[in-house]
């Protein structure tokens, strides 16, 4: 793979490899419902969540990023000399100046490669996607020197006690980008929507807990689906369709992959895509069961009408099972991973889909970050994804985690909360459950400098 890359004009730029990291501990959402004293199914059905990853004081944004990068390099037989661009998308900030990317440069020391562009990118859950776009732009630009680009999307998502806590999680995805890739990003069709909102933000710099208006944030997400998807259909049709006036529809995408704050919101978003399709052609007989809802158009009422929401979810139920569910295994069993979420969903799809199911298929992806920034884009699978299946093995790896009780889960979050700002501190979390190859924190010295070891 690396040997085929040279200084000629790059073609078929896209994703060569993905590596997914998740914490070794999780809590069961059914047990958490009982512990929190809420109605049965509130988290498992209402949010679509089955399990949730949790970290103790041994893991931070640096450690999970170190782990996912080192594992990708080893699994794919690469050298750190092969990397010319490295960027990290994260909102898990433990230093207001020093980037996670500079910490990752410790992995490059033995190779002697310090010529690596890129730093960190931040905007809620969108930073990883922005970094992927930056990496693709670098490879396609006059600045490209023939080497590969690497992106890390990583976060630890945790919430204060309350209704948002079951939507936490943690994870990291490393994305290897270059020309002649098996997953090629479609050019000229990225559709972005950005605006100024206060749906989710982190003004308390001493805490990793966000300030969040959950219902409003869900509505902002759906509004962004409308804006990005409708623009994507126009851009894609203009560039690739033999009849640019005939807009591409969600049914023309073989799979759809979403940022997943919770899996129920993803199901609503997929239904909303079909709603946008219906608004373009309401008299088409395939929309007979839902065409009465066209009266709402994109009015404010359309975002709050439960009848419309349920109707579109029912209308797309079969397609949702076929085109979306294969991408949600990590999301439902790990939880929200912020910047890593959409990329963990893509990893889930590629970890399970056979070549017959995935080659020559087009995948639509929607990325959202509160505040807000969102993009709908697409890629095509042009060759075998066997290596993705071999290296990711997400179902097998998630089955080997350690379950903790809700009581222990609460204690672990309390430990993280109490030790977040400490210096001259030796972490106390149990390292016996860490998977082989996991980096973990061993010391924060009197100047807040962090030291890591590898299991």
């Amino acid at each position: 793979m690396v040997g085929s890359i040279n200084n000629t004009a790059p073609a078929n730029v896209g994703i060569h490899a993905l590596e997914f990291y998740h914490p070794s501990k999780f809590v069961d959402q059914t047990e958490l419902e009982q512990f929190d004293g809420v109605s049965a199914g509130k988290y498992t059905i209402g949010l679509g969540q089955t399990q949730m990853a949790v970290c103790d004081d041994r893991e931070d944004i640096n450690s999970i990023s170190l782990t996912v990068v080192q594992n990708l390099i080893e699994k794919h037989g690469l050298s750190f000399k092969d990397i010319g661009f490295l960027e990290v998308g994260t909102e898990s900030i433990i230093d207001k100046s020093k980037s996670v990317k500079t910490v990752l440069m410790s992995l490059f020391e033995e190779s002697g490669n310090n010529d690596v562009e890129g730093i960190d990118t931040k905007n809620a859950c969108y930073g990883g996607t922005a970094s992927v776009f930056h990496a693709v732009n670098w490879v396609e630009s006059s600045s490209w020197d023939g080497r590969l680009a690497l992106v890390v999307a990583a976060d630890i998502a945790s919430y204060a006690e309350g209704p948002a806590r079951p939507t936490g999680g943690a994870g990291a995805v490393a994305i290897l980008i270059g020309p002649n890739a098996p997953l090629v990003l479609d050019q000229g069709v990225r559709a972005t929507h950005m605006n100024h909102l206060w749906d989710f933000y982190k003004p308390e710099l001493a805490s990793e807990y966000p300030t969040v208006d959950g219902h409003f944030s869900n509505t902002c997400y759906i509004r962004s689906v409308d804006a990005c998807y409708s623009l994507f259909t126009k851009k894609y049709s203009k560039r690739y369709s033999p009849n640019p006036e005939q807009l591409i529809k969600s049914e023309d995408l073989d799979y759809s992959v979403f940022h997943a704050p919770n899996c129920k919101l993803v199901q609503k978003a997929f239904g909303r895509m079909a709603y946008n399709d219906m608004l373009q052609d309401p008299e088409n007989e395939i929309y007979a069961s839902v065409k009465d809802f066209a009266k709402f158009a994109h009015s404010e009422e359309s975002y709050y009408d439960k009848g419309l929401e349920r109707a579109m979810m029912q209308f797309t139920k079969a397609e949702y099972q076929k085109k979306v569910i294969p991408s949600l295994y990590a999301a439902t069993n790990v939880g929200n991973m912020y910047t890593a979420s959409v990329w963990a969903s893509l990893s889930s799809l590629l970890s399970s889909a056979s070549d017959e199911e995935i080659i020559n298929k087009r995948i639509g992806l929607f990325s959202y970050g509160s505040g807000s920034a969102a993009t709908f884009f697409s890629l095509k699978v042009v060759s075998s994804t066997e290596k993705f299946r071999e290296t990711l093995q997400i179902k097998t790896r998630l089955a080997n985690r350690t379950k903790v009780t809700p009581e222990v889960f609460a204690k672990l979050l309390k430990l993280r909360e109490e030790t977040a700002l400490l210096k001259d501190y030796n972490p106390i979390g149990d390292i016996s459950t860490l998977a082989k190859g996991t980096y973990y924190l061993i010391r924060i010295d009197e100047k807040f400098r962090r030291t890591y070891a590898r299991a």
Side-chain angles (χ1 to χ4, degrees):
M1 179 179 68
V2 177
S4 66
I5 296 176
N6 54 49
N7 286 315
T8 60
N12 296 323
V13 176
I15 299 171
H16 280 279
L18 293 164
E19 174 60 15
F20 174 52
Y21 173 74
H22 57 80
S24 61
K25 301 182 183 70
F26 74 93
V27 64
D28 182 87
Q29 291 276 19
T30 299
E31 294 179 9
L32 194 60
E33 289 171 343
Q34 298 168 354
F35 178 75
D36 289 345
V38 301
S39 58
K42 185 175 179 65
Y43 304 157
T44 52
I45 299 174
L47 295 175
Q49 299 304 119
T50 305
Q51 300 167 347
M52 177 170 46
V54 59
C55 300
D56 59 24
D57 64 342
R58 289 289 188 175
E59 294 192 275
D60 60 20
I61 184 58
N62 292 338
S63 70
I64 66 175
S65 298
L66 287 163
T67 299
V68 78
V69 169
Q70 186 67 48
N71 286 349
L72 181 140
I73 293 294
E74 291 175 354
K75 287 183 179 182
H76 293 272
L78 298 170
S79 165
F80 283 101
K81 292 181 179 179
D82 298 326
I83 308 301
F85 181 100
L86 171 59
E87 190 159 296
V88 178
T90 185
E91 61 173 279
S92 300
I93 309 300
I94 57 176
D95 191 288
K96 290 180 284 186
S97 176
K98 183 174 173 61
S99 67
V100 178
K101 187 269 181 73
T102 60
V103 175
L104 294 177
M105 289 306 297
S106 64
L107 300 174
F108 288 71
E109 289 178 0
E110 186 175 344
S111 72
N113 178 21
N114 299 105
D115 179 20
V116 183
E117 292 190 28
I119 46 172
D120 290 1
T121 299
K122 182 194 76 173
N123 186 88
C125 305
Y126 186 80
T129 297
S131 294
V132 168
F133 295 161
H134 296 164
V136 170
N137 292 347
W138 178 75
V139 173
E140 293 180 340
S141 76
S142 61
S143 297
W144 184 55
D145 63 5
R147 293 181 294 167
L148 294 163
L150 182 59
V151 168
V152 177
D155 273 303
I156 297 172
S158 56
Y159 295 83
E161 291 184 22
R165 176 157 280 192
T167 62
V173 179
I175 306 133
L176 189 69
I177 293 170
N180 308 316
L183 277 64
V184 179
L185 271 74
D186 290 323
Q187 293 183 322
V189 300
R190 297 195 312 231
T192 294
H193 178 74
M194 298 203 178
N195 57 352
H196 174 44
L197 301 168
W198 295 101
D199 59 322
F200 171 112
Y201 49 105
K202 294 180 177 178
E204 298 183 58
L205 300 181
S207 171
E208 63 181 4
Y209 296 150
T211 298
V212 56
D213 183 338
H215 291 297
F216 179 53
S217 192
N218 289 347
T219 302
C220 295
Y221 181 104
I222 297 298
R223 288 181 191 275
S224 293
V225 169
D226 281 355
C228 294
Y229 175 67
S230 59
L231 180 58
F232 168 81
T233 62
K234 294 179 177 67
K235 285 189 173 184
Y236 187 93
S237 299
K238 182 178 180 180
R239 187 168 182 120
Y240 293 107
S241 174
N243 178 10
E245 300 302 315
Q246 183 66 46
L247 298 183
I248 186 176
K249 296 182 179 180
S250 58
E251 63 195 56
D252 299 317
L253 297 170
D254 299 291
Y255 296 97
S256 292
V257 172
F258 295 84
H259 167 57
N262 62 77
C263 293
K264 182 63 73 174
L265 183 59
V266 169
Q267 187 175 8
K268 294 175 183 178
F270 187 66
R272 193 73 184 192
M273 286 169 57
Y275 177 67
N276 278 273
D277 293 339
M278 185 264 288
L279 292 179
Q280 295 295 329
D281 190 16
E283 297 307 316
N284 190 314
E285 63 181 14
I286 67 172
Y287 300 119
S289 64
V290 293
K291 71 174 185 178
D292 288 347
F293 291 102
K295 65 184 179 183
F296 288 115
H298 287 123
S299 67
E300 188 72 11
E301 190 176 359
S302 76
Y303 297 105
Y304 299 99
D305 189 273
K306 292 300 180 182
L308 165 60
E309 182 178 272
R310 286 191 295 268
M312 296 314 303
M313 289 170 65
Q314 181 61 36
F315 178 77
T316 56
K317 187 174 182 179
E319 288 291 281
Y320 178 75
Q321 290 291 326
K322 176 184 175 182
K323 295 184 175 183
V324 183
I325 284 292
S327 69
L328 291 180
Y329 195 82
T332 191
N333 288 292
V334 176
N336 193 357
M337 294 164 266
Y338 291 165
T339 59
S341 178
V342 66
W343 302 103
S345 294
L346 180 61
S347 299
S348 290
L349 173 60
L350 295 171
S351 179
S352 60
S354 67
D355 275 0
E356 183 180 3
E357 294 169 321
I358 202 78
I359 292 179
N360 292 322
K361 298 297 193 292
R362 178 156 277 109
I363 303 171
L365 299 97
F366 176 71
S367 182
Y368 176 82
S370 292
S372 70
T375 300
F376 198 102
F377 58 108
S378 61
L379 58 81
K380 186 175 182 180
V381 182
V382 299
S383 61
S384 175
T385 56
E386 181 179 0
K387 188 67 173 179
F388 291 87
R389 291 189 294 277
E390 290 178 356
T391 56
L392 287 169
Q393 298 187 21
I394 288 177
K395 289 186 177 181
T396 300
R397 290 162 63 187
L398 290 177
N400 290 325
R401 294 176 298 168
T402 300
K403 186 171 79 169
V404 300
T405 65
E407 290 84 359
V408 170
F409 165 74
K411 289 179 180 178
L412 293 179
L413 290 187
K414 188 66 174 177
L415 174 63
R416 290 185 60 82
E417 182 180 332
E418 293 175 343
T419 61
L421 294 177
L422 294 185
K423 62 180 178 179
D424 194 16
Y425 174 68
N426 298 314
I428 62 173
D430 179 16
I431 64 172
S432 66
T433 63
L434 294 176
K436 181 177 173 55
T438 301
Y439 283 84
Y440 60 93
L441 182 66
I442 59 174
R443 171 76 176 153
I444 304 175
D445 72 13
E446 63 283 353
K447 292 186 176 182
F448 294 98
R449 296 175 295 194
R450 296 176 178 236
T451 305
Y452 302 89
R454 195 181 189 202

